[in-house]
Amino acid sequence: MGVLELQNLNKSYGRIRALKDMSFTVGSGELFGFVGSNGAGKTTTMRIVLGVLAADSGSVTYDGKPLDLDLRRRVGYMPEERGLYPKMKVGDQLRFLARLHGLSAADAASATDRWTERLGVASRRGDDVESLSLGNQQRVQLAAALVHEPEVLVLDEPFSGLDPVAVDVMSDVLKERAAAGVPVIFSSHQLDLVERLCHRVGIVSAGSMVAIGTIDELRTVDQPVWRIVVGADNVDLAPVASAVPGAVAESVEAGAGKSAVQVMLPDEQPGAEQALLSAAAGIGPVVEFGAVRPQLADLFRDVVSDGGASEDDRAKKREEEKQAAGSRSRGGLFGRRKGAER
């Protein structure tokens, strides 16, 4: 399997710039999460990959070659809006789509049986698509994307409308395809699911890729934050910050019979966490001590909130935040992520 690469894609609709130099790669065997608010440019990007839309400029390549019609036949696509014929039977439809992708009649029938079994809709092969629940229609839509054994998977909101069991089935299938070497890109608003499944994540805002990396890379902050909890009620832990020059403390909820504080360090300082722990132990029995890192949902809100800012504006904002060492937009002591901007 090869590498899917999008380089400097631009797309405008009149005066509206839908994509601005959109660039990223999805490697062989990689699960890539493509997230952003509604209207950010995710679906436009996917449609350009499929050739449904043409970019104003930029390129899409697979394995170093332009993604032409022949290569696009080897891509499995699942649109956000269901692209199935509602009055056609499930089995007939999947066999028909497989034949369109070049499979023989026997191979199309075999693939239809295999994927409907795998996705739990084998008993519905003889039913019209419109008679299925929304969740089962979503399973059939995924089967349609997989029935020709694609070399690349591009899935727009594949988990929408699925119950927890179906989410597990869908997740397992995507992991299996990635393990087989298939580059998989999917969009989703279920950020906990993206965080759990994906090797890398790209966050899109206003048509631009504003943050990209592994979950660990995106959650790494310039200013480390440590949470300290002692087993005593109504204890002022703010003085522990004085153990590290430039540290800032913020009291937080800890539950009955406990007191807690979060301490932001000005930067990575060898031994700083031990100094904090020692200072806290001098105040009361420490029952919890650990680094605090933002979740993907927090990163999403952070990045999207200033996604339209210029690089100069972002640099200025980072410097102001570092000097002030103030709270982030949701009240937590999270610093700017390292390497978040492209």
Side-chain angles (χ1 to χ4, degrees):
M1 302 292 179
V3 176
L4 179 68
E5 181 174 5
L6 287 68
Q7 192 164 32
N8 299 321
L9 294 182
N10 288 280
K11 180 67 177 178
S12 295
Y13 298 97
R15 295 182 178 180
I16 299 173
R17 290 195 67 185
L19 295 182
K20 306 170 188 175
D21 294 320
M22 179 67 70
S23 299
F24 62 93
T25 63
V26 185
S28 176
E30 181 178 22
L31 270 166
F32 184 85
F34 198 39
V35 303
S37 55
N38 293 329
K42 304 184 301 297
T43 297
T44 297
T45 300
M46 290 181 170
R47 287 176 175 172
I48 288 174
V49 171
L50 269 294
V52 177
L53 289 176
D56 297 334
S57 61
S59 63
V60 180
T61 61
Y62 175 63
D63 204 17
K65 301 174 183 176
L67 205 60
D68 57 16
L69 180 60
D70 182 59
L71 285 174
R72 286 189 172 104
R73 292 180 189 274
R74 290 141 62 183
V75 176
Y77 176 53
M78 182 175 178
E80 182 179 7
E81 306 87 3
R82 290 179 178 85
L84 302 171
Y85 298 107
K87 297 186 181 298
M88 193 172 184
K89 297 188 185 307
V90 169
D92 292 343
Q93 185 155 183
L94 293 176
R95 286 188 290 270
F96 169 69
L97 294 172
R99 294 298 306 276
L100 288 181
H101 281 280
L103 272 67
S104 67
D107 288 343
S110 176
T112 295
D113 290 349
R114 181 169 66 256
W115 283 113
T116 51
E117 288 281 356
R118 180 69 184 84
L119 293 168
V121 287
S123 63
R124 310 305 299 271
R125 288 179 198 140
D127 297 336
D128 292 345
V129 169
E130 65 181 359
S131 70
L132 273 58
S133 67
L134 293 180
N136 278 339
Q137 287 184 34
Q138 194 80 334
R139 294 185 192 218
V140 175
Q141 186 77 72
L142 179 60
L146 293 165
V147 73
H148 59 292
E149 300 295 332
E151 295 181 22
V152 179
L153 274 176
V154 179
L155 312 173
D156 200 353
E157 294 289 345
F159 295 96
S160 177
L162 297 183
D163 61 45
V165 173
V167 166
D168 288 343
V169 171
M170 184 85 73
S171 299
D172 288 343
V173 168
L174 298 192
K175 288 187 286 188
E176 289 168 7
R177 292 292 82 208
V182 175
V184 180
I185 173 175
F186 74 90
S187 65
S188 179
H189 291 295
Q190 295 168 260
L191 299 182
D192 57 333
L193 194 59
V194 173
E195 190 167 354
R196 189 169 75 244
L197 284 178
C198 293
H199 300 108
R200 286 191 308 137
V201 175
I203 303 178
V204 185
S205 180
S208 298
M209 183 70 77
V210 292
I212 190 167
T214 65
I215 295 296
D216 283 342
E217 288 169 347
L218 292 174
R219 293 178 67 193
T220 299
V221 294
D222 287 328
Q223 295 168 282
V225 178
W226 291 83
R227 174 180 169 87
I228 306 167
V229 181
V230 298
D233 210 355
N234 298 319
V235 174
D236 182 12
L237 291 171
V240 302
S242 63
V244 180
V248 177
E250 177 185 62
S251 296
V252 293
E253 293 293 327
K258 298 178 183 179
S259 301
V261 68
Q262 287 187 176
V263 180
M264 176 188 283
L265 304 180
D267 49 35
E268 294 281 359
Q269 299 182 30
E273 64 272 17
Q274 291 302 318
L276 290 177
L277 180 58
S278 296
I283 296 176
V286 177
V287 296
E288 181 182 332
F289 180 76
V292 179
R293 299 198 298 168
Q295 299 300 308
L296 184 59
D298 298 311
L299 301 177
F300 178 84
R301 294 185 188 96
D302 175 32
V303 169
V304 170
S305 68
D306 66 353
S310 68
E311 183 59 34
D312 287 343
D313 289 340
R314 288 179 186 164
K316 181 179 179 181
K317 182 177 179 180
R318 287 197 297 271
E319 186 60 30
E320 289 172 349
E321 289 173 342
K322 190 167 184 179
Q323 291 175 358
S327 297
R328 302 301 295 162
S329 59
R330 285 178 60 81
L333 292 174
F334 292 129
R336 172 64 63 176
R337 293 167 325 301
K338 291 182 178 178
E341 282 85 27
R342 287 182 61 86

